[in-house]
Amino acid sequence: PDEREAVRRQVSAALHARKPWRGEFRCVLPDGSIRWLLSQSTPEHDSEGRVVGFVWTLVDTTHTQEALRASEERFKLATKSAGVGVLDYDVIAEQGFWSPEVRLLLGVPEGRLTTLAGALEFCHPEDRGRIEGAIAAALDPRGSGAFAEEFRIRRADTGEVRWVASACQTFFEGAADDRRPVRFTGIAT
């Protein structure tokens, strides 16, 4: 299918560089059905360290891909049905994903909301200080990372004031003094 040339170039580059390669791609079978395949190659070396060949594996991951798609669909249907918005914020890159339900709740179009600071702009002025403090506590490597608050927002499109509830968890990397927040993920209703 569409990725055939890209996969061919990647495999060729790995072979010429004599380096490992891994890729997942679709394959059209003679009967017209499409299968997802995971391919991996590893150079094989002789006793002097020269590459003498490659060991290749090919695994059919079609059922895994289908299960993932079905799981994603169930998740989308459940959050949409319940009116639950999902947020996932990359603390390092300072970039976030806000689901359509969160954007609808805030009255913002896709693409406008990208940072936590941007999201805080919708917080009601009387609640903002408390919410900023709760987020700072959740991002503090010495804490549990938990955030669970109810607060008011002012919708971007209508100016209407609404109460929302949000529950999030910060995920950290490292330990002790090297512990740092990397993701802030949760829901809003």
Side-chain angles (χ1 to χ4, degrees):
D2 303 335
E3 63 266 14
R4 180 178 295 152
E5 279 307 309
V7 170
R8 196 175 283 156
R9 283 192 304 274
Q10 292 170 15
V11 169
S12 179
L15 288 172
H16 285 92
R18 300 177 182 270
K19 294 188 175 188
W21 180 79
R22 177 185 170 140
E24 196 162 10
F25 51 90
R26 294 173 295 164
C27 178
V28 179
L29 300 181
D31 68 0
S33 63
I34 295 177
R35 307 301 288 180
W36 278 93
L37 302 175
L38 171 64
S39 180
Q40 298 181 86
S41 70
T42 303
E44 187 174 329
H45 299 87
D46 65 13
S47 60
E48 296 172 8
R50 293 181 300 233
V51 174
V52 295
F54 281 82
V55 176
W56 288 84
T57 61
L58 196 59
V59 178
D60 186 339
T61 61
T62 303
H63 294 296
T64 303
Q65 293 288 337
E66 290 170 355
L68 178 60
R69 273 193 297 280
S71 177
E72 288 174 346
E73 183 66 18
R74 280 190 303 274
F75 180 75
K76 285 179 185 177
L77 289 171
T79 57
K80 186 174 184 174
S81 298
V84 174
V86 176
L87 60 106
D88 185 20
Y89 189 72
D90 180 333
V91 177
I92 305 300
E94 295 186 5
Q95 288 293 309
F97 164 80
W98 279 265
S99 71
E101 291 77 20
V102 171
R103 292 192 312 271
L104 182 65
L105 182 71
L106 297 174
V108 296
E110 187 171 355
R112 176 165 172 211
L113 192 58
T114 58
T115 66
L116 274 180
L120 280 168
E121 291 175 14
F122 301 101
C123 194
H124 191 279
E126 293 176 17
D127 296 338
R128 186 167 177 161
R130 176 174 56 86
I131 298 307
E132 285 175 337
I135 290 173
L139 295 174
D140 186 339
R142 296 168 297 184
S144 69
F147 174 90
E149 296 287 335
E150 291 185 18
F151 54 96
R152 291 167 290 180
I153 56 109
R154 188 177 302 276
R155 287 178 50 93
D157 55 354
T158 64
E160 174 189 3
V161 174
R162 286 190 177 173
W163 280 93
V164 299
S166 182
C168 300
Q169 179 65 47
T170 302
F171 296 91
F172 299 94
E173 282 184 355
D177 291 341
D178 293 328
R179 190 171 187 228
R180 64 190 175 106
V182 293
R183 283 177 84 176
F184 182 71
T185 302
I187 62 166
T189 58

